[in-house]
Amino acid sequence: MPMTLFFALLSVLMALLSAVSSLAYSRLALVEYLLNRIFAFDSSRLAKVALFLEPDYYARAMRILPFCLLGVSGTLAVLTGLLQLLGADSAAMILPFGLPGLSWHVRIDALSGFFFLVLGMPLIAVSLFGPGYVREFEHKKSLEVLGFFTGLFVAGMEMVLLADDTFFFMIAWELMSVASYFLVAFQHEQPESRRAAFLYLLMAEIGALCIILGFGVLVTFAEGFSFGHIRGVALTPLWASVAFALGLAGFGMKAGLIPLHAWLPEAHPAAPSHISALMSGVMLKIAVYGFIRYCFDLLPQVFWQWGVAVIAAGAVSAVLGILYALQQQQLKRLLAYSSVENIGIIFLSIGLALVFFSTGQSQSGALALLAALLHSFNHAQFKTLLFLGAGAILHQTHETSLEKMGGLIRRMPKTAALFLAGTLSIASLPPLNGFVSEWLTFQAALQANQLQSGVLRSFVPTAAAMLALTGALSAACFVKVYGIAFLGLPRSPHIAHARELTDRGMLAGLALPAALCIVVGIFPVPLIDGLRRVIENLTGAVLANISATGWLWLTPAGAETASYSPGLVLAAFLAAGALGYVLLYRIRAVESRRAEPWDCGYGGLNAGMQYTSGAFSMPIRRIFDPVYDLRETLNQETGDSAGWRVTAIRYQFQADDKFVRFLYTPIGRSVTQSAHRLGRIQTGSIRTYLAYSFATLLFLLWVVS
Amino acid sequence: MAWLMAIGQPLLFILIAPLLTGWIKFVKCRLQNRKAPSLLQPYRDLRKLWVKEAILPETASWIFSAAPVIVFAAMLLAAAIVPLVAVNLPTARIADVFVMVGFFALARTFLVLAGMDIGTAFGGMGASREMTISSMAEPAMLMVVFTLAMSAQTTNLSLAMQYVLDSGLVLRPSFVFALAALMLVAIAETGRIPIDNPATHLELTMIHEAMILEYSGRYLALMEWASQIKLMLYGVLIANMFFPWHIATDFSLEALAEGLLAIVLKLAALSVLLAFSETLLAKMRIFRVQEFLSFAYLLSVLGMLSHIILEVYYG
């Protein structure tokens, strides 16, 4: 068996083992019995076993063990990915499971290898962060359930990447969806968690249904269920478009494209933070993987109309996603909406790639696809970091609302520094990684000049205009998050007494993605070289230019057209910063002293004088008013009878998604109504049912004869 | 020689920027029938701030003291990639025009974070307004850049200017739109009337001043200097992107002298224009700013579309 496939399968196995091992958490007696039976004949070892079986020690070990196994699984996934990116051949195998005659086909190639890398890095971070984080649940909730479904969830995602036939793909896909349903429902004593989990399950299943139907179309015309058979399928444009539309709906629903996103901002915040990190950082990328595999590998040809549809969906998701994110007051909910935005950016790039490939511009198409893949990787890093950061705040202060936070940089300096790296990356500022993928997307959009159709030529830059707006708004959004949560004065007592994380593992879990954000931002070329291989493998297009000038330079379409060298930018930045530092502190330095800030003469600055999160984004709420479902209440108490002197004022607002009110609620209502109508035929009387059976029988006889 | 220029030009930016501010103030005063301060007044102000004791607020974290350095460095980097007196700038290869927009965003981010760090009402107010304005100005800026890059087939600023220079005086509708949009963006981003008033400390109208209210001494000097460099950068962008004539194309002494003279005259002329508009217009209400900026955004998108529709001939 080739090395990469071996590692990948081992990685799945480790995730499953992690699931099984967490079942042992509260089964001390059983484990004791088993171990005693095993070691009964060797009394010298028994002492060690007895030590292990001390209840406290056992509980601690069993809390950590599943995460260790997940970490091993993540490391193996990273290894698989790296080997594939470095040029390992693709490898396939048939596993002796599944239905008779329909064994599970597994295959690993450069594309799935890359997504193993995307999956592995956050998984390692989560496995470092997890043991400290779940301690909170230790006495309140069942860690077995959490660990078991986490393991299954990860295994499901890895199996999706490995699947090479439609059956196995769907089994893995459902495993991923259902296992994550239990994770979303983990805090089921809260009604909103139950509601979120139900909505999530419902939409995941509708999405899965779309994918099954899409596969159904392909399989009907192909000779078998395996992807190998499907690759060669010949489809009429109409059937190909039907299959594409089903795929876009199915994968788009999992990825959270607007308007199929309603589950996402509910489900991600409901899960424990390390699971949110996995769902947002990794699971959405699995959907992206599915879509890329489906469009570029399985479907026989692509049409530019598809590209236009995907670009439109992506652009709408990006702009609306970030506009909704800006108005959220719950940190994790905000991050979830920002995932919608980032998925939008990824789909926008994929759409660009579809347009370029369908019009024969394979170089530009490859560039756009590269941007999409790189942004998937980057988003996995910084979103993991931000969700884990939100988890760290939650763990230390039990607070999720931005309106209550403030000044955490003084209480939790290390967390604050690491979170800053994530903030700057997601706001796509140079020289961090988010900027590199945004830059590449712009460069891809600039290639629109090569398109022949005038409509497309003006459509693509308009999409770039939307992307520019998204970028600027996301900077505003995350500056707000950082400024409100970490800077200023604490807005509530428990935030004022927050303590820094003491668990080294949790800090390491934050530090790993932060380091990757910085390293990939500064030296993106090695990763991009690997991605070139992925794209060549997938589409046959060779991106010759992109790193032609050397490992320091990005030159997507030739050095004359555009070039960016993040490494040199950093060097120059350090030099300029050193100049600023010398000017500030070295040349005939004057003493500085600390004093109270200006409080407008009211006597003492207090936290209530600061802008709140809602106030910060108020101008944007006014400007983009039509996209929000805005509910505001303003209560004023007046001190005198004439009502001139206001003594107390209370303002509340809720800026919700318009889609929930104008799309989902009506659908839900009409489903309930039609169910009621259907219910009328259920009379409960046996005679009526016999009549129904008789009528059906007659009808069938008529059909058959 | 080229690299010498690459280091020399940002230094020139640092040195000239206060003079430009002084000149704008001078013209404005004369237009308003006031006695003008000396052209060198901004330098004196900087020196004064330099020798004064700096007072840091008690609530300030490291972000507050690091921000001036980062803002200044980001402006310096942006200055290093914008050709001032000569094209053929080797540094323009390291970072293209999108990265320049990124540097502006980086500087703005830290400025805003510093404003929110203290926990005063003004800091948050300025921060919120700055981010709102920039979230509409930055896309317009990017679209202007897009138009230019599509015409010149490059995002390298030096090569793009070279392209405009080589193609001579051609009236392109796209450039007219883009120029108008960039001027509006420049006014918004550098905090001039009618968006913001750099001369006021009136509590409810400040944007930029509100964020740096707590700075003093050298920290304030560095912040002020950075914003002067930013003003000059926008001026140079407008001048050299749309009217690059007489910029030096080789590094001979005459060419450089000509380039320097040309840019000084262009900036002086632009400043007069700015002073005129600042004298004639009144500051806008904050919720009128969005109309101003969406107009800029619209103009920039129109510029890009008119380039695609009118100016691209396909095979």
Side-chain angles (χ1 to χ4, degrees):
Chain A
M1 196 193 311
M3 188 81 100
T4 50
L5 194 58
F6 176 69
F7 281 155
L9 289 174
L10 203 59
S11 166
V12 177
L13 196 67
M14 283 298 158
L16 289 173
L17 259 184
S18 150
V20 173
S21 75
S22 59
L23 287 181
Y25 179 70
S26 62
R27 289 182 174 72
L28 177 57
L30 178 68
V31 173
E32 196 171 6
Y33 172 74
L34 284 176
L35 285 179
N36 277 332
R37 285 297 292 272
I38 295 168
F39 294 110
F41 51 89
D42 189 348
S43 55
S44 64
R45 285 197 196 159
L46 207 57
K48 276 183 197 165
V49 172
L51 189 68
F52 173 69
L53 293 175
E54 286 289 315
D56 284 349
Y57 186 84
Y58 178 79
R60 189 159 162 262
M62 276 299 147
R63 198 181 68 229
I64 296 175
L65 180 67
F67 283 105
C68 287
L69 290 170
L70 277 187
V72 174
S73 171
T75 315
L76 287 167
V78 169
L79 268 179
T80 313
L82 287 179
L83 284 176
Q84 282 294 348
L85 289 189
L86 289 173
D89 292 327
S90 52
M93 218 180 127
I94 298 176
L95 294 181
F97 302 113
L99 300 174
L102 257 177
S103 307
W104 291 355
H105 294 64
V106 293
R107 180 165 176 273
I108 185 144
D109 61 3
L111 181 67
S112 42
F114 169 68
F115 277 90
F116 260 104
L117 184 67
V118 171
L119 178 145
M121 290 296 188
L123 194 55
I124 297 175
V126 164
S127 67
L128 290 168
F129 186 86
Y133 185 72
V134 298
R135 201 180 309 157
E136 180 182 355
F137 301 119
E138 210 162 28
H139 302 294
K140 290 184 285 184
K141 320 255 334 168
S142 153
L143 284 190
E144 293 154 321
V145 172
L146 185 61
F148 181 69
F149 286 109
T150 309
L152 282 189
F153 174 49
V154 170
M157 293 195 288
E158 289 173 341
M159 274 148 67
V160 169
L161 295 178
L162 280 173
D164 196 39
D165 68 79
T166 50
F167 262 94
F168 184 39
F169 187 94
M170 287 320 299
I171 289 170
W173 187 267
E174 291 293 352
L175 182 63
M176 167 178 98
S177 297
V178 174
S180 51
Y181 160 76
F182 286 103
L183 296 172
V184 173
F186 180 62
Q187 284 156 332
H188 54 80
E189 68 282 351
Q190 295 161 356
E192 58 268 33
S193 280
R194 291 198 297 271
R195 193 175 155 263
F198 176 70
L199 182 65
Y200 171 53
L201 189 67
L202 193 68
M203 294 192 69
E205 288 315 310
I206 294 173
L209 215 60
C210 291
I211 300 174
I212 290 178
L213 289 175
F215 278 146
V217 172
L218 294 180
V219 168
T220 314
F221 292 95
E223 283 159 13
F225 287 94
S226 84
F227 286 173
H229 287 113
I230 292 177
R231 273 185 199 106
V233 71
L235 286 180
T236 61
L238 178 67
W239 278 115
S241 297
V242 169
F244 169 79
L246 286 168
L248 179 61
F251 292 112
M253 203 169 275
K254 197 70 180 172
L257 277 186
I258 287 178
L260 309 174
H261 68 292
W263 63 272
L264 202 152
E266 305 292 329
H268 287 200
S273 298
H274 65 294
I275 302 297
S276 319
L278 279 183
M279 287 181 76
S280 209
V282 183
M283 187 178 77
L284 303 184
K285 306 301 145 16
I286 302 295
V288 170
Y289 161 82
F291 189 65
I292 291 178
R293 170 74 72 199
Y294 192 77
C295 284
F296 292 95
D297 197 15
L298 298 184
L299 286 172
Q301 78 261 50
V302 291
F303 298 96
W304 64 264
Q305 290 91 337
W306 301 358
V308 170
V310 176
I311 290 178
V316 168
S317 302
V319 173
L320 291 185
I322 195 64
L323 280 174
Y324 291 136
L326 260 164
Q327 305 302 339
Q328 302 306 317
Q329 287 149 306
Q330 302 289 326
L331 180 52
K332 284 174 75 179
R333 211 174 147 84
L334 183 149
L335 292 175
Y337 268 115
S338 136
S339 293
V340 173
E341 172 232 332
N342 280 285
I343 286 293
I345 295 175
I346 294 169
F347 271 74
L348 198 149
S349 306
I350 295 176
L352 284 178
L354 284 170
V355 166
F356 283 126
F357 274 117
S358 61
T359 49
Q361 306 289 344
S362 60
Q363 279 283 316
S364 314
L367 183 59
L369 197 54
L370 176 78
L373 290 175
L374 188 64
H375 199 70
S376 302
F377 180 85
N378 291 341
H379 181 241
Q381 306 316 318
F382 51 64
K383 199 41 78 63
T384 304
L385 170 57
L386 294 173
F387 262 119
L388 293 184
I393 299 175
L394 185 65
H395 188 256
Q396 299 303 100
T397 67
H398 300 283
E399 187 54 68
T400 58
S401 169
L402 279 173
E403 304 288 9
K404 299 272 167 55
M405 294 181 191
L408 283 172
I409 195 169
R410 280 173 284 279
R411 305 296 309 179
M412 303 170 71
K414 292 175 196 159
T415 313
L418 295 170
F419 201 90
L420 184 63
T423 309
L424 298 181
S425 313
I426 200 168
S428 51
L429 296 173
L432 287 135
N433 63 351
F435 182 76
V436 179
S437 39
E438 183 175 296
W439 188 80
L440 284 173
T441 313
F442 277 125
Q443 295 296 347
L446 266 181
Q447 310 295 319
N449 266 348
Q450 301 167 349
L451 295 168
Q452 282 193 357
S453 145
V455 179
L456 279 183
R457 219 163 47 214
S458 41
F459 181 75
V460 168
T462 316
M466 301 292 270
L467 182 66
L469 183 63
T470 310
L473 286 171
S474 88
C477 180
F478 282 92
V479 163
K480 178 187 98 164
V481 169
Y482 200 78
I484 297 285
F486 286 95
L487 305 178
L489 301 175
R491 290 177 177 81
S492 56
H494 54 284
I495 292 288
H497 298 113
R499 283 168 199 274
E500 177 60 289
L501 288 174
T502 46
D503 188 307
R504 289 226 185 100
M506 288 174 86
L507 277 174
L510 291 174
L512 177 73
L516 274 170
C517 283
I518 295 168
V519 170
V520 172
I522 293 166
F523 302 111
V525 176
L527 181 62
I528 282 175
D529 270 334
L531 284 175
R532 270 172 58 197
R533 204 160 287 128
V534 173
I535 289 163
E536 195 181 331
N537 199 312
L538 188 68
T539 64
V542 185
L543 266 173
N545 282 328
I546 190 144
S547 54
T549 327
W551 60 277
L552 265 178
W553 296 86
L554 276 180
T555 48
E560 291 291 290
T561 312
S563 52
Y564 171 42
S565 170
L568 292 180
V569 163
L570 181 75
F573 194 79
L574 290 180
L579 177 65
Y581 177 80
V582 167
L583 283 177
L584 203 52
Y585 294 108
R586 282 286 170 263
I587 301 178
R588 290 169 51 198
V590 192
E591 283 292 302
S592 63
R593 79 187 151 86
R594 294 261 172 178
E596 277 178 45
W598 170 235
D599 55 16
C600 305
Y602 278 105
L605 202 61
N606 69 49
M609 292 177 178
Q610 299 175 94
Y611 255 44
T612 58
S613 156
F616 190 94
S617 48
M618 189 278 267
I620 293 178
R621 197 153 68 234
R622 288 281 168 277
I623 294 171
F624 294 94
D625 183 45
V627 307
Y628 298 114
D629 180 14
L630 196 61
R631 267 163 290 177
E632 289 172 296
T633 49
L634 185 66
N635 296 320
Q636 288 188 353
E637 281 172 30
T638 46
D640 54 343
S641 51
W644 294 113
R645 194 163 57 85
V646 177
T647 50
I649 192 161
R650 188 174 168 76
Y651 168 75
Q652 270 183 314
F653 82 96
Q654 203 174 354
D656 278 333
D657 220 306
K658 264 203 169 162
F659 292 94
V660 174
R661 187 159 154 203
F662 293 102
L663 184 68
Y664 285 87
T665 320
I667 290 178
R669 211 182 297 131
S670 62
V671 167
T672 322
Q673 273 172 5
S674 43
H676 276 300
R677 245 170 245 148
L678 267 179
R680 275 188 215 149
I681 63 169
Q682 306 275 4
T683 56
S685 128
I686 187 108
R687 280 165 297 173
T688 329
Y689 290 121
L690 282 174
Y692 291 154
S693 313
F694 181 65
T696 315
L697 203 63
L698 280 184
F699 176 73
L700 285 179
L701 279 174
W702 175 68
V703 169
V704 170
S705 65
Chain B
M1 186 64 193
W3 282 98
L4 204 63
M5 281 304 299
I7 295 169
Q9 291 205 27
L11 291 179
L12 210 57
F13 261 103
I14 301 183
L15 291 180
I16 298 183
L19 184 66
L20 183 71
T21 312
W23 167 247
I24 294 174
K25 205 169 271 171
F26 179 84
V27 178
K28 234 172 110 174
C29 283
R30 300 315 294 265
L31 281 172
Q32 295 168 353
N33 274 332
R34 289 186 285 141
K35 197 160 180 285
S38 149
L39 282 180
L40 299 180
Q41 191 59 39
Y43 293 101
R44 291 182 193 145
D45 290 343
L46 285 179
R47 203 195 63 205
K48 178 188 77 187
L49 288 174
W50 217 260
V51 295
K52 273 192 152 187
E53 180 192 43
I55 300 173
L56 290 173
E58 276 160 359
T59 47
S61 71
W62 63 268
I63 298 257
F64 187 80
S65 32
V69 177
I70 295 173
V71 172
F72 186 74
M75 282 306 145
L76 208 54
L77 253 60
I81 55 175
V82 178
L84 179 68
V85 292
V87 287
N88 287 330
L89 197 61
T91 39
R93 283 188 57 216
I94 295 179
D96 71 354
V97 59
F98 288 128
V99 188
M100 184 195 73
V101 178
F103 287 149
F104 285 145
L106 181 69
R108 183 191 312 125
T109 301
F110 273 90
L111 185 64
V112 168
L113 288 180
M116 298 179 82
D117 191 23
I118 313 302
T120 61
F122 289 134
M125 186 187 289
S128 161
R129 291 174 179 175
E130 172 82 8
M131 286 323 283
T132 308
I133 288 173
S134 71
S135 64
M136 306 190 68
E138 196 188 285
M141 172 88 183
L142 274 172
M143 285 305 104
V144 170
V145 163
F146 233 76
T147 311
L148 186 80
M150 283 189 136
S151 310
Q153 299 284 327
T154 174
T155 57
N156 180 322
L157 262 175
S158 177
L159 293 178
M161 286 176 189
Q162 182 86 54
Y163 167 83
V164 179
L165 195 60
D166 290 344
S167 52
L169 188 62
V170 190
L171 186 66
R172 293 166 214 260
S174 63
F175 273 35
V176 177
F177 283 121
L179 173 62
L182 185 60
M183 283 180 144
L184 298 186
V185 169
I187 286 173
E189 286 275 22
T190 54
R192 312 296 304 193
I193 292 173
I195 305 294
D196 189 8
N197 189 350
T200 181
H201 278 102
L202 192 63
E203 292 166 350
L204 296 176
T205 62
M206 302 188 279
I207 300 175
H208 183 257
E209 292 299 315
M211 286 184 290
I212 60 171
L213 202 59
E214 290 298 327
Y215 278 111
S216 57
R218 288 191 174 190
Y219 297 96
L220 180 61
L222 220 49
M223 280 292 197
E224 293 284 5
W225 212 345
S227 71
Q228 287 165 358
I229 295 175
K230 186 174 180 185
L231 178 66
M232 178 163 164
L233 266 169
Y234 271 98
V236 172
L237 273 179
I238 292 173
N240 281 352
M241 246 154 78
F242 296 99
F243 315 101
W245 297 288
H246 296 289
I247 195 169
T249 46
D250 56 61
F251 298 126
S252 69
L253 222 48
E254 301 94 72
L256 288 180
E258 188 189 335
L260 188 62
L261 189 67
I263 190 67
V264 166
L265 289 178
K266 283 180 221 167
L267 285 179
L270 270 177
S271 313
V272 173
L273 198 65
L274 180 66
F276 256 106
S277 84
E278 292 211 315
T279 307
L280 293 175
L281 296 173
K283 200 182 155 305
M284 271 182 195
R285 213 157 57 82
I286 190 97
F287 281 107
R288 296 295 294 278
V289 170
Q290 43 159 318
E291 290 164 24
F292 178 90
L293 288 171
S294 26
F295 182 57
Y297 189 49
L298 194 69
L299 279 178
S300 62
V301 174
L302 274 180
M304 186 184 65
L305 290 180
S306 60
H307 165 74
I308 288 160
I309 294 164
L310 302 175
E311 294 163 22
V312 178
Y313 304 102
Y314 195 86

